[in-house]
Amino acid sequence: MIIAIDGPSASGKSTTAKGVAEKLGITHLNTGAMYRAVTLGLKEAGIQPDDEKSVCQFLAGMDIRFDESNHIHLNGIDVSMEIRSGDISSQVSAVSAIPMVREKMVMAQRQIAGEKDCVLEGRDIGTVVFPDAEFKFFLVADVEIRAKRRLQDLEKIGETKSISELIEDIKRRDELDSSRDHSPLVQAEDAIPIDTSCLTIDEQINKIVNLINKK
Ligand code: DC
């Protein structure tokens, strides 16, 4: 069973996907973390996203995997904290628009999830990675609420930004993610939309679990 949870940044996907996977006792795959890890790797290697040859070489030698605590490792190093920085957030849309990067990530995602029951969260899970997923949800939320959530995430890693800056960051990222040529952020026709603006985390999780159990 594949459960696809797509939606824009800070719409509540990660917390919801994690909670749904826990309740159902199945695997949770955060595909955004994979694009973030690639972004960190390219940055550390000093490679610009438009340098196709170097990006290609980097991807060929790159290893991304998740450990039993679902921490992401890039070339053997746990990078789960670093990939959450504001710096990576502002660069990840450019990196995730590179077709070569997407092809490699989609292949890896199908391999990780293919053999198991899995909740995958991302932007293109229900449209590209698993278009035949049994369940598809598309999460949305007001931009101010998303900015407040992003601020809480940043504060956890000791960073801060003003709400107005975060609103601008989110709008810019929405625009980049939705307008890219290759698998843009778009709701699958058969996805169930869920507005998380006024829902608690438990309500979001229960809503999805109840819809799954009903079937
Ligand atoms: O969910 P997130 O904010 O951690 O995702 C980081 C970026 O990765 C986001 O700006 C778009 C990209 N992404 C993507 O293009 N496709 C996915 N399946 C998941 C994330």
Side-chain angles (χ1 to χ4, degrees):
M1 173 176 65
I2 295 289
I3 301 164
I5 302 186
D6 288 305
S9 62
S11 55
K13 295 187 305 292
S14 292
T15 328
T16 310
K18 186 166 178 267
V20 170
E22 271 168 15
K23 280 216 161 173
L24 299 176
I26 63 178
T27 305
H28 164 218
L29 180 58
N30 179 339
T31 64
M34 298 171 75
Y35 289 96
R36 286 172 178 273
V38 178
T39 307
L40 177 70
L42 290 175
K43 183 183 163 227
E44 285 179 342
I47 299 169
Q48 296 303 316
D50 59 0
D51 178 353
E52 267 188 40
K53 197 167 159 230
S54 304
V55 171
C56 182
Q57 273 169 358
F58 174 81
L59 290 175
M62 180 193 72
D63 178 61
I64 287 184
R65 60 186 71 218
F66 290 87
D67 64 20
E68 55 291 340
S69 314
N70 231 2
H71 285 192
I72 189 161
H73 292 239
L74 172 68
N75 297 331
I77 296 166
D78 183 343
V79 293
S80 8
M81 287 287 272
E82 288 94 317
I83 60 165
R84 297 284 146 209
S85 72
D87 196 26
I88 296 299
S89 295
S90 62
Q91 293 172 36
V92 65
S93 285
V95 172
S96 58
I98 305 171
M100 236 183 322
V101 170
R102 301 207 69 80
E103 276 154 29
K104 176 126 186 171
M105 292 301 101
V106 169
M107 240 161 48
Q109 289 154 18
R110 287 185 181 142
Q111 212 166 25
I112 296 170
E115 307 275 301
K116 328 176 175 145
D117 291 335
C118 190
V119 182
L120 293 97
E121 51 155 312
R123 303 291 189 288
D124 59 343
I125 308 303
T127 49
V128 175
V129 186
F130 286 107
D132 297 328
E134 284 86 345
F135 298 97
K136 296 182 187 179
F137 300 96
F138 195 83
L139 269 47
V140 292
D142 292 339
V143 71
E144 286 83 4
I145 289 177
R146 293 163 62 199
K148 282 186 195 150
R149 290 176 182 162
R150 189 55 86 204
L151 181 63
Q152 284 171 354
D153 289 346
L154 279 179
E155 283 174 348
K156 279 188 207 147
I157 57 167
E159 288 187 24
T160 192
K161 263 189 174 183
S162 70
I163 286 289
S164 56
E165 265 180 300
L166 285 168
I167 289 177
E168 283 320 303
D169 284 354
I170 287 174
K171 285 185 176 167
R172 189 180 56 85
R173 205 130 72 84
D174 282 356
E175 171 60 23
L176 288 170
D177 292 345
S178 315
S179 63
R180 66 177 176 228
D181 293 336
H182 204 299
S183 1
L185 166 68
V186 58
Q187 182 180 329
E189 272 179 23
D190 50 349
I192 300 171
I194 297 180
D195 188 334
T196 67
S197 307
C198 301
L199 297 180
T200 65
I201 291 167
D202 278 347
E203 284 169 340
Q204 285 161 215
I205 295 169
N206 288 335
K207 194 166 182 160
I208 291 184
V209 171
N210 289 341
L211 286 164
I212 292 170
N213 285 337
K214 247 196 229 165
K215 269 211 174 176

